[in-house]
Structures are given as structure tokens and as C-alpha cells.
Amino acid sequence: MSEAITILCAAEDQDVLSQLAGPLRRAGYAVATASDADDTVAAVEADGIDAVVAAHDPPGPDGLSLLDRLEGAGVPVLLCPATGDESLAGRALAAGAAGYVPRRDADAELVDRIRGVLDDSAREAASDTAVAERNRLSLLIKQSPLALIEWTTEFTVANWNPAAEELFGYTAENAMGRPGPDLIVPEDERDAVGDIWDGLIGDGRVTHIVNENVTASGDRITCEWHNTPLTDESGEVVGALSFVRDVTDRTQRVAALETLQEMSRDLIGANSRRDVAEIVTDAAADVLHYPLAAFRLHDEDADALVPVASAADGWDAGTVESLLRDEGPLWRAFDVGQQVVYEDAGEFEGVDAASLLVQPLGDHGVLSFASSDTDAFDETDRYLATVVGAAAETALERAERKHELERRERLLDAVGDGLYALDEQGYYTEINDAVAEMTGYDRDELLGAHVSKIMRDEDIERGERRLERLLAADEADVESYEVTIVAEDGERIPCEVNMSLLPGEEFTGSVGTVRDISERKRMERALRERKRKIESVHRVATQLEESRSVGTIFDLAVDAARDVFGVDACTIRTIDGETTSAFVADGSPIDGAVGADGRLDRRAYDRTRRDGETLVIDDRRERGDDAGAIRSLLSVPVGDAGVFQVATDDVGSFDAEDAEIAELLLSHVANAVERVRFESELREERDRFAALFENVPDPVASVRQSDGQSTVIDVNPAFERVFGFDAEQLRGEPINQHIVPPENRDRAAELGARGADGELVETEVKRQTASGLRDFVLTVVPVDVDGTTTYGVYTDVTERNRQRQRVEVLNRVLRHDLRNGMNIVKGCAEMLDAMVEEGSEYAATIQERADELIALAEKTRTVERTLDRDDAEPGSVDVVAAVESIVDRVGEEFDDVDVTTSLPDRADALADSMLRTAIYHVVENAIVHNDGDRPSVDISVDERAERVRIAVTDDGPGIPAEERELLAEDREITQLRHASGLGLWLVNWVVTQSGGELSFEEAPSGGTRVVLEVPRARVEQHPT
């Protein structure tokens, strides 16, 4: 400590302190400051103070009281009031003051007065005393219950008493010489503390502050600091002295009260239980200073405590599962309904906390606080938790009531019914806006009015009887009845009233709802009318089923329309106009001649017929029509049969429902018309079939297949004549037993079964007739009546088969004998030619004719083979390959022949495989019948869009006219005289069977060009 004389200036106001300390510092004294009497006494008792200059400003700082407290301290005290007062000066001197200096004279007198008090001897004595005082000060610092810290001007620790050790956790050894900011000031407070230190050291200003500090263990505490600068004899600041007191608890209590007040204000505005939970958890953690605060609500359905909110620094409520009922600490507190504190929560499995405080919230849930320390919750914490819990419980109940009120209000608004309350005399005590809006009265007009203002007497009497029943009932109930409300404008409104008694032991009135049922009444009437119309339509539908003509059906439809729609006019007309029906009501303004042709509106008729859709016209005049008296029109299609129209002289007479009813009626009409027409067509068809059945020349039998038997239903006269049985004799008998040979009956049963399965069967069979066993082509025709009926048509082919057999035998014999005979003749002619020297001309003629007849036989065989392939399927034939093979064959069979070709790479024709033979016959014919020495033949193939063209051109004499006539069918086939004609006939047959065409042209060289055109094949396909 400095050896300079130290003057202590005591005043609460900083400006007063500066006014007193300034002259003293300028005079070279060390000046200390104190802001209240306690600090002044403590500073004097701590030693080192040579004199005290005390302000006196009642009712504030009282210098006289300070003199009493410093009596015996051995330190002179100068009293300095704001102004001079002789009475006060006297009292001060009497009380032991060393002097009296008004502050207004401080600059001029204070230093002199201090010097007068402190003379040289006193200074020496004071010097001896100072040593003792410093010793006492050192002892005081060590024993002071307040933390006392002396600082150097560099803000490092110069002295650190035991109370400071206990408060901050640092020993004096650890603290000495360390910078104060680094030692005990949190980072976020260091700038503010630095500013205060600058003022303390730079200006010598005594300071009093409250700020947060940090202990050696890292805990943050709140401290109150009294800081005094220390100066030497010259007044220069040489250090500072701080008195420190822990005010954490006091600060926390103030903060807790402020937080509670803010929480209470916020809870008033909470709209839901979740809002309450979030507000409480945010505030609770600050009130109790435990960051782990959780709010759980009780879910009655699941019987679980569900986490809904947590403190911001605690766990996330969304990551914690609901806690089902168990023996855990939260459920214990909830069940007993009292706060429970667990000083050591280690006994509970799954509880991640050392201490646990659980505050129940009535039936709503629990609020819990956790700490990592045991015995963490003191009485203050428990009390604050109780306060928070009570506020939360009240807020939860208020939120539930608010929610229920809002729900009821929403329900009432949603219902939209009128609500009222009557006193015991029947006067309105309450109504809602719906009643006022319904009646047209202002709300104030109805309140206090009797029910007779808006209700009829008979309805009042009905309500009184219902009220008597309610009063007589053992339990509260509701009575419902219908009334007619009379609005202010006289409108009568049908309503339904649901009435009940007001709660209470005594009858005080009734309460109820009033619902406008006008729309319901209207709908009921509409439904009744719709039901009547539909029933009328169904009655007509029954009558339509019994009708046998379109005219009768149309008359019924018109009558039904008059009954269902009550219209002025109605028409119905078929599309062809053959059948119409119409009426115009008596007395109607609509002209009776309108609709005489079955059309009330031609445009509407044509549109309905064209579109097949119902047309509703509200006002024909809006279309610009010369409507006459007809205004509304409904036009409906009658299926495909016709159009139905109804009309009135009013606007808007028909709506969608009328259209729907009309469509229902006309659907029955359309079905009836279709039925009548079908029945008529069926009768005509049946008559035609009966005539055909009776008059067809082939035998016909109708048969029913059942259990493998073919039972005769009927047979025609031809069947009776051929097979020799009467129809009456065969009906109901198995047909196969009478006309099928025994060895063929299994096959006959199979054919009948195939026909019954829907297969059209055509096959050749043998049957026993009246004239013996004969051949028939049997055609089994299935009939879709019951799925078992078939018709069997028997076409007699006995004679055809016999003729074919005879022809085949003759053909084989003739061809075989002719070929063999001609070979013998030819051989003999050759031998004769060799033996007779003069007769070779006749032998050559014999050989030539023999070759022709042999060729004719071969051609005949080819024609037969071709005719046998009449049903062969055409396929893809490569014409180019066929021509090339024919050229090779000609080269092998003929000498001295020039054959040229003009061919593409490939040309596929859709034809029979005999096409190759046909082309060869054309080429062969061109060579054989050429009278030149060296015949010339050209073959060209041209592939066109849809056809393949094969042209064979020769330089011979041409094809005889009689053979061309044969191909044109101008001459009979009996006119074939030689093989060439038969060959050309074969060519024509092959080409035409393939869908092609054979033609002849004159060649430029004078010969003939034979052209074969056949269809082109699109894909490769082998012919059969």
C-alpha cells in the first residue's frame, strides 16, 4: 500500500464525489471513495484512511449518522453539506466532526481545512498509526466475510482474501499476479468490465456494478462489485480495491419472478394445450435453472404420458417415446397427484438423471425437471415448481374450456339452426341471429316479446302440450314438433322445433332449436310427385307389354304423357311417318291442328332424330321461331323408331327431372315397338321358313339331340316321299333307327352331336330309302333355339356317283387302250416304213397321227390331274426359276429352236404349282405348230404393281380361230379336235383358277404373243 495520506470521500452521488475528491487530488492527497455509509465504515475499519470527508444531503446521505458510527475510530471527519447552515454546523461539531465545509466552498476551503486538521505532529503520529492501521487492515482483509481484492493498475491481482478464495475457487497463490478478466470474467462480459476499469483507473471514479463472473469450476455466478481507486500522496491512481458479494440467489429470484409474471401473461393467450406446454417448458427451465424440463400430457385412450414439449436446451420431445403406465417416478407423481422429488433417481431403470422433480398437473399430465447432481432441488425450487405447475394446470383447464366453447360455437354455426330461450311465461330471453334472419325481425324486437309474435295459436297450444310432457317426465328429454313461423312480411315458414327444459330444480323456462324445413317440405312434395309419375309410367309399361301394334303403343304413350306431365299438347311419330298419335287439350290456346302430322316442332323433331338426344326448350320464342302458342317443348327420341314431343303455352315448364321421366317412359315405348316389330318379322320369317320346309325338293328333317339320341321333330313331304315314312309316324322317334344302316349308326350319332354343338356339317352318307340304299350329301344345320335342335338336309347323289364311276372307268380304259393301241400302230408304221420302199408317205402319215393321239392321251391325263387339284390352295411360285427350267427342258427336247428370255432377278406369283406346266404348254405349242425351219420363241417376265406378266412370243402361223373360240367359250368342249386345243384349254384353266387372265396378241414378226397375267405374291408361300 502507498504511504501517502489518504482521504476518504463519502457520497452516494458520483457528481458530489467528484466535487469533493477533485480539490484533494489536486492538493496531492490520495483519495478513496465510498458510495454509502456501510462502505465508509468498512473502509475506515480496514485501516489506511487518514480523514473522512462526508456529504450530508438529507433525506439522502446523513453525515451526522455517519459521525455517530465513526465515533472512536480515531479518524477525523469533515462534514460537507450542499450549502452552509449554522445550526447544522453546530450539531456537526457537537457530534465530533473535525470540521464543517459547505460544498459550494470546497474548492477554496476544503484543502486548507484538511491541512489544519492534519498538522505536522499529527502527520507523524498518523505515520505511526498508519503502520498499525495497515496491520489492522491486512487482518481485516483476511477476516472479512466479503471478498476483498486489491488490483494493480494493470488489472492484475495484488491481494486476494480468503473470502475471495471461497467465492471464486482460486487460492491466493493461484490468483496473485493474474489478470482479472482472464481469471474471473466471462468472455461475453469482458468488454463491459474493461470500460468500467478504464473509468476507475483513468478518472479515479468509484464504481458500483452487478455483473456475471465465472468460478474456477466454470460455474457462472452473479456478483455485486464496489470498486474504489487507490491513489498516492500526489493523487495519482496506483491501484484499486474491490469489495465483492455473491448476489446470484437474489438475482435469480428476481429473474424467476419476472419470468413467472411473463409466463402468466403468455398463458392467458394460449389457444391449445400444446401452446400451454411450450410456454411452460420455456419458462420453467429459466425459473428453476435446470435445462432438462419436460411436459407430458395424459392420453386417456392409450393410458400413456405423451411428451409434447421440452426446454430449448433439453431433449427433443419428438425423439422420446410415450410413457405407458408403469411404476416409474412420473406415473407415481401423476397417480398420487402431489409433487414428488427424487434426490437420487438411480433406483429407477432408464432414468438418465441424478435428481428428478415431478410436478403433477391434475388430470392433464406432469411437468418434470432433471439434474445431473444429486440433492439438486432445494425448498425454493420445490416452491417455484409448485407455482409453475399450478399456473400450467389452470392454463390447461382454461385452454380446454376455450376449446370446448369454440367447438360448440363451430357446431352451432355449422348447424345453422335458430336457437332460442323462453322464460316460464313464454317470453323470449335469448335468440340467435338465425332466428332473427329467418323471421325478418331485429333481434331487439324479439327479445322480451311473447312467442305469439311469430307463432300461430294452434302451434303455441301444441308447444304447451309438449312442455307439459317434459315437465311430467322423470328424466330430461327433448320434444320435437312442427310449427309454422309467421315472418314480419307475413310469409309462413314451416319449421321443426326441438324443445327441452332449462336446467335446474325449478322450472325456469325452455330452450330449443328452430329449423326451416321449407326445402324439405318442397322435396317431399317433389318426391311424392316423382313417385306418382314413375308409378304411372310403370303402369303404362305393363299395358305396353300387352300391345300388339305400333299404333296402340303410341296411343298409350300419348295418354300416359297427358297423365304424367299434364301438358297442353303431345305427339309421337315414327321416323318414316307411317304411324303417328297426337292430342291437344281442350281449351288449350295451342291450335288443335298443330302436330297433326306427329310433329309439334319440326326443327326440334329433326334434331332429336339426328342426334338421338333429349332436347328441352324453355321458350321457343328465344330461338326466333314463329312459335304460336307453344312456348315450352320437350322432345325425346323413341329409340330408333321415332320422336316424342310434349308442349305447353308456359315458359320453362320442363326440367331435367321431366326429361328423365320422359326418357323412362319412352324407353318402355321403344322396347315395345321393337318387340312388336320383331314379333312381326319373326312371324313372317316363320311363314317363309315353313313354306321352304314344305316345298324344298330335298328331304329335310328337324331333329332334337338329347342323351345321344336324334329324335325327330318334323319332316317335310320330300322326306316322306324318298324315305317312305309319314311325318306323324316319325315324330318323337329316333331317326337313326329308321334310315341309317346299322353299321353306320355310330357315325350318324357323331354327326348329330357335332351339329348340336353348333358345327355346320357337310358329308356324304348312305341312307336306307323306300327304294333301297342310296348315297346322300348330308348337311347338318344347327339352329340357335335351345342349343339342341338341328336340321338335316339330304341331297341324293346316287346317280352322280354312278355316272362319275362310269366316266372314270371309261376314261381309264380309253386312255390305256388308246395309248397302247397307238403305240402298236406307231411301231407297225415304223416297221412298214422300213420294209416298203414305196409307201413311206403313208407310213409317215400313220406315225404322225399316232403321235398326235398319244399326245392327246397324255394331255387328257394332265387335264384330269389338274381338275383333281381344283381345290388346291395357291402359293408363291418363282416364275423366273420356272422359265429358266422350261428353257433347259426345251433345249433337251427340241433341235433347231431359238429361245430368248427377258427376265428380272426374281418374280413371285400367287398361283397353283401347275403354272409351270401351263407355261411349258404355251412354249411347246409355239414350237410344235411353227412351220418354219428354225422356230424362234421369246419369253419375257414383267413384275407389275399387283400382277406378274408372262409373255411368250413366236414367229409361227398363229393359233387357230376355233381354238380361241373354245377358250372364249364360244364353242363346246366337244369341238376339241387335237392336243393343242386341249393344251390351251388347260393353260386357261390354270391361269383363271389362280385369279389371273389369259390373252392373245399379234406379234410384230407376224406370229402370236400369248400373255399369262397372274396375281403377284406378297410373301413367300409354298402352293399346295
Side-chain angles (χ1 to χ4, degrees), residues 12 31 82 115 152 207 215 231 252 422 504 638 644 708 715 748 778 801 830 889 897 908 914 925 980:
E12 288 185 1
V31 178
R115 289 173 178 169
T152 67
T207 60
T215 66
T231 57
Q252 288 178 348
L422 296 172
V638 187
F644 166 88
V715 296
L778 171 62
N801 289 347
E830 290 175 350
R889 181 179 174 183
V897 176
D908 292 315
M914 292 296 292
N925 188 71
S980 63

Side-chain angles (χ1 to χ4, degrees), residues 233-452:
E233 292 84 351
S234 64
E236 182 179 354
V237 176
V238 295
L241 183 66
S242 297
F243 299 84
V244 190
R245 181 166 56 184
D246 186 356
V247 294
T248 303
D249 290 343
R250 185 184 72 187
T251 304
Q252 288 178 348
R253 283 194 296 273
V254 172
L257 289 175
E258 292 177 351
T259 302
L260 286 173
Q261 290 176 354
E262 183 178 356
M263 182 189 74
S264 299
R265 289 192 300 269
D266 293 341
L267 287 175
I268 293 175
N271 294 317
S272 65
R273 299 203 308 169
R274 185 172 293 275
D275 290 346
V276 172
E278 292 175 353
I279 292 170
V280 169
T281 49
D282 287 345
D286 293 335
V287 172
L288 270 70
H289 297 282
Y290 294 101
L292 294 177
F295 200 112
R296 293 176 181 263
L297 290 174
H298 182 229
D299 184 341
E300 294 184 2
D301 294 335
D303 196 20
L305 292 173
V306 181
V308 292
S310 66
D313 295 333
W315 46 261
D316 182 1
T319 64
V320 179
E321 296 181 356
S322 299
L323 188 63
L324 298 177
R325 181 175 292 278
D326 57 14
E327 297 299 325
L330 273 63
W331 277 106
R332 288 186 187 180
F334 180 78
D335 290 337
V336 300
Q338 293 181 354
Q339 184 187 93
V340 179
V341 178
Y342 301 93
E343 299 295 353
D344 187 353
E347 62 177 292
F348 300 107
E349 183 178 354
V351 177
D352 188 17
S355 299
L356 189 65
L357 186 155
V358 185
Q359 178 65 40
L361 307 174
D363 296 332
H364 304 287
V366 296
L367 177 63
S368 59
F369 299 90
S371 174
S372 57
D373 299 326
T374 58
D375 299 328
F377 303 101
D378 56 18
E379 290 299 323
T380 301
D381 295 330
R382 299 181 184 188
Y383 171 74
L384 290 174
T386 302
V387 173
V388 172
E393 184 176 350
T394 300
L396 288 171
E397 292 174 354
R398 181 168 55 247
E400 287 186 350
R401 288 195 301 271
K402 184 176 182 180
H403 176 71
E404 181 63 21
L405 287 174
E406 290 177 349
R407 188 182 70 85
R408 291 182 180 180
E409 289 177 359
R410 285 196 298 271
L411 286 175
L412 292 176
D413 291 341
V415 170
D417 290 344
L419 302 177
Y420 73 88
L422 296 172
D423 63 14
E424 61 273 20
Q425 301 300 321
Y427 289 89
Y428 287 109
T429 59
E430 187 60 57
I431 64 166
N432 69 348
D433 292 339
V435 173
E437 183 178 349
M438 182 190 306
T439 61
Y441 288 101
D442 289 338
R443 202 162 171 273
D444 293 338
E445 290 182 83
L446 291 179
L447 288 176
H450 193 263
V451 293
S452 59

Side-chain angles (χ1 to χ4, degrees), residues 975-992:
Q975 298 300 317
L976 283 172
R977 296 187 303 160
H978 49 72
S980 63
L982 186 60
L984 288 176
W985 184 88
L986 172 64
V987 172
N988 186 61
W989 179 272
V990 171
V991 171
T992 55

